[in-house]
Amino acid sequence: MNIGVIIPLIIFLVVIFIIGLWSSKKAGSPTGGFLQDYFLGGRELGGFVLAMTMVATYGSASSFLGGPGTAYTMGFGWVLLAMTQVVTGYFILLVLGKKFAILARKYNAITLIDFLKVRYNSSVVVLLAAISMIIFLFSSMTAQWVGGGRLIESLTGVQYTTALFIFAISVLVYVIIGGFRAVAVTDAVQGVVMIIGTLILLIAVIIAGGGIPNIIQDLLAENPRLLTPYGNEGNLSAAYVSSFWILVGVGVVGLPQMAVRAMSYKNTRSMHRALVIGTIVTGFIMLNMHLIGIFARPILPGVEIADSVIPLVTLKVLPAWLAGIVLAAPLAAIMSTVDSLLILVSSSIVKDVYINYIKPDASEKSIKRLSFGVTTLLGSIVFLLALDPPDLLIFLNLFAFGGLEAAFIWPVVLGLYWSYGNKYGAIASMLTGIISYIALHFYNEAYGNLFGVHTVVLPVILSLLAYVACSLLIKKTKYIY
């Protein structure tokens, strides 16, 4: 165990806990009661905090461990593919924008499912949305838990199970006591840590490799395909890379954990500022981290578990105290995504199922107690799921992304902008998206990608056709916003 590395990380966790405690004192203030404060931060986010919470929520274990690990394995083709993520925050705020925030306030919507409930007036839509969220977000949360456990394991030398337990306790404590406000404010802190950490590490890796020309020559000598857009084995086709524009570009509008941010900002100025800041920061972090992954290959050859490349190369090229500070960046990314997903799933169960359909007259005290309990239970379940981790956690996370997008993108986007969209279209779209996505996922696992594109593409197209057809053919009605 390297004490010089551990001390900066402990200091980082202490700061996060202090922010959580401060946020818990703010919760329940006159901004809208416990539910709105705990699950939405009182709709008070400014431009910088909004941008950083979107970046930090999206920038997860995949971006800081799995993505660079895959770039280490596949080469520059994966770096090119990863850069499709630059437009993430821009698309979310541009497409959902003012209208989503205005309608969320009008409907008093605290969660994405609140919006769907009012827009479609259907308990089937609500239950389908809640089930979809729980199924796919458990996959995404498991990926983050695994990433956090592996990071702590590589830093401390303790067994994976012990490292996973330490990570789980760290996250649960400050999420449970602070809620969404703690998540948003700590995301801002964590976003700054990510920017600084990635820049320091990229510079250190380039220096350790003898400069970029020398690194390129080493990669060329090992395998020329590492320098092509097609991957180390030529398995990244143009169609597959292009299809990622849907998965991690346009399609992110359908991610509930991102959409909820678009209803939490303070005013239009905050949204416009977040558009600019979020796009720049996302591009900076994604490019840096994936370049680090491929540049680390000549410095650290033969790494068996690709997800451990970032902590291993950090420990190799930086002094212990600086490595501890830099490794707070992937830890920040993982924690910021985990906390957001925990709050999202917890709000779906408490607000969208329990309060809407089981006990509408529940007291604030019982809701508060249930919210804390559900969040703890969810964290415990994900901990158990993460005990048997996959080889490359990025694909677990991307599976969750695709499933959520196939389920939500059209009920959300067309629900906002097409007045003839109705509950029949929404139900058909969600069922078509979920069923076709899961079926295609298993087909592609067995026989290779159909048409050479990512699994999400066909379900998104099919769910669009189902939404439009069923809205017009079953019962054509016009919604008054």
Side-chain angles (χ1 to χ4, degrees):
M1 183 179 294
N2 194 327
I3 299 300
V5 176
I6 302 301
I7 289 174
L9 286 173
I10 292 174
I11 293 171
F12 170 73
L13 288 174
V14 169
V15 171
I16 295 300
F17 289 153
I18 291 170
I19 293 172
L21 286 168
W22 170 81
S23 302
S24 68
K25 292 177 181 177
K26 290 272 291 183
S29 62
T31 53
F34 172 77
L35 275 176
Q36 185 160 289
D37 244 61
Y38 188 78
F39 290 128
L40 211 54
R43 306 185 203 270
E44 295 178 344
L45 302 192
F48 178 76
V49 175
L50 174 63
M52 297 312 270
T53 191
M54 291 182 73
V55 170
T57 297
Y58 185 80
S60 60
S62 291
S63 305
F64 280 79
L65 297 178
T70 308
Y72 175 93
T73 304
M74 293 191 175
F76 277 99
W78 196 264
V79 178
L80 175 65
L81 181 147
M83 292 313 294
T84 58
Q85 300 171 86
V86 172
V87 295
T88 300
Y90 184 83
F91 268 118
I92 291 164
L93 292 177
L94 188 71
V95 175
L96 299 183
K98 296 179 188 177
K99 189 167 186 178
F100 189 59
I102 290 168
L103 289 177
R105 284 164 170 79
K106 179 182 175 182
Y107 301 158
N108 197 29
I110 292 172
T111 67
L112 175 63
I113 297 178
D114 274 345
F115 166 78
L116 296 176
K117 181 188 177 188
V118 177
R119 172 61 179 84
Y120 295 108
N121 191 27
S122 168
S123 58
V124 177
V125 170
V126 171
L127 292 174
L128 275 175
I131 291 167
S132 303
M133 232 181 247
I134 292 166
I135 290 172
F136 291 112
L137 285 179
F138 263 114
S139 294
S140 189
M141 280 194 289
T142 302
Q144 309 314 313
W145 243 253
V146 171
R150 280 185 172 158
L151 178 59
I152 294 173
E153 176 191 27
S154 62
L155 294 179
T156 62
V158 300
Q159 288 186 342
Y160 172 75
T161 306
T162 306
L164 186 66
F165 181 76
I166 293 170
F167 175 77
I169 294 298
S170 301
V171 173
L172 283 172
V173 168
Y174 89 89
V175 173
I176 290 168
I177 62 177
F180 187 93
R181 194 189 302 275
V183 169
V185 178
T186 54
D187 280 356
V189 176
Q190 290 161 338
V192 173
V193 171
M194 290 179 207
I195 294 170
I196 297 170
T198 56
L199 182 60
I200 292 172
L201 185 55
L202 178 61
I203 293 170
V205 167
I206 291 172
I207 293 170
I212 294 177
N214 194 54
I215 293 172
I216 297 297
Q217 285 302 317
D218 289 341
L219 292 171
L220 192 61
E222 181 189 349
N223 182 354
R225 284 184 174 179
L226 290 168
L227 303 177
T228 71
Y230 308 111
N232 63 325
E233 296 178 357
N235 50 354
L236 293 176
S237 66
Y240 186 77
V241 173
S242 300
S243 67
F244 262 68
W245 279 98
I246 294 178
L247 180 67
V248 294
V250 181
V252 292
V253 174
L255 294 178
Q257 66 269 37
M258 302 303 290
V260 74
R261 263 103 188 121
M263 63 168 70
S264 62
Y265 60 85
K266 188 165 32 180
N267 50 39
T268 303
R269 184 182 177 188
S270 298
M271 185 195 79
H272 290 160
R273 185 176 296 170
L275 269 171
V276 177
I277 296 172
T279 303
I280 294 171
V281 172
T282 301
F284 182 84
I285 289 175
M286 293 300 167
L287 180 61
N288 282 6
M289 288 309 301
H290 288 81
L291 283 178
I292 291 166
I294 180 60
F295 286 174
R297 192 172 177 114
I299 301 166
L300 208 68
V303 175
E304 293 183 4
I305 301 176
D307 291 337
S308 64
V309 165
I310 292 300
L312 290 176
V313 78
T314 304
L315 293 171
K316 185 176 178 68
V317 302
L318 292 175
W321 66 271
L322 188 54
I325 296 171
V326 168
L327 286 172
L331 185 62
I334 296 165
M335 290 180 69
S336 60
T337 302
V338 167
D339 56 34
S340 302
L341 298 182
L342 269 176
I343 286 292
L344 189 62
V345 180
S346 177
S347 65
S348 296
I349 294 171
V350 175
K351 178 71 173 62
D352 303 319
V353 178
Y354 180 76
I355 295 177
N356 282 343
Y357 298 105
I358 298 174
K359 198 170 182 181
D361 59 344
S363 67
E364 186 162 294
K365 185 177 179 180
S366 65
I367 292 170
K368 189 172 184 177
R369 189 165 53 244
L370 180 64
S371 299
F372 293 162
V374 167
T375 304
T376 305
L377 178 62
L378 290 171
S380 303
I381 293 171
V382 176
F383 170 81
L384 295 175
L385 292 174
L387 287 174
D388 183 22
D391 290 333
L392 277 172
L393 59 86
I394 188 171
F395 295 107
L396 186 61
N397 204 46
L398 292 178
F399 168 76
F401 270 32
L404 290 168
E405 290 169 9
F408 286 101
I409 186 168
W410 302 122
V412 172
V413 175
L414 294 182
L416 272 177
Y417 294 107
W418 191 44
S419 58
Y420 286 102
N422 57 39
K423 65 181 181 180
Y424 304 106
I427 293 168
S429 177
M430 294 175 84
L431 286 173
T432 302
I434 295 166
I435 293 169
S436 63
Y437 181 77
I438 293 173
L440 271 171
H441 173 77
F442 287 109
Y443 175 88
N444 290 345
E445 285 284 307
Y447 304 107
N449 285 26
L450 191 63
F451 304 125
V453 297
H454 188 274
T455 309
V456 75
V457 175
L458 289 177
V460 165
I461 295 171
L462 292 173
S463 61
L464 171 61
L465 295 175
Y467 186 99
V468 173
C470 291
S471 291
L472 295 177
L473 296 177
I474 295 179
K475 188 177 181 181
K476 186 177 178 181
T477 54
K478 189 170 183 178
Y479 182 79
I480 307 299
Y481 291 97

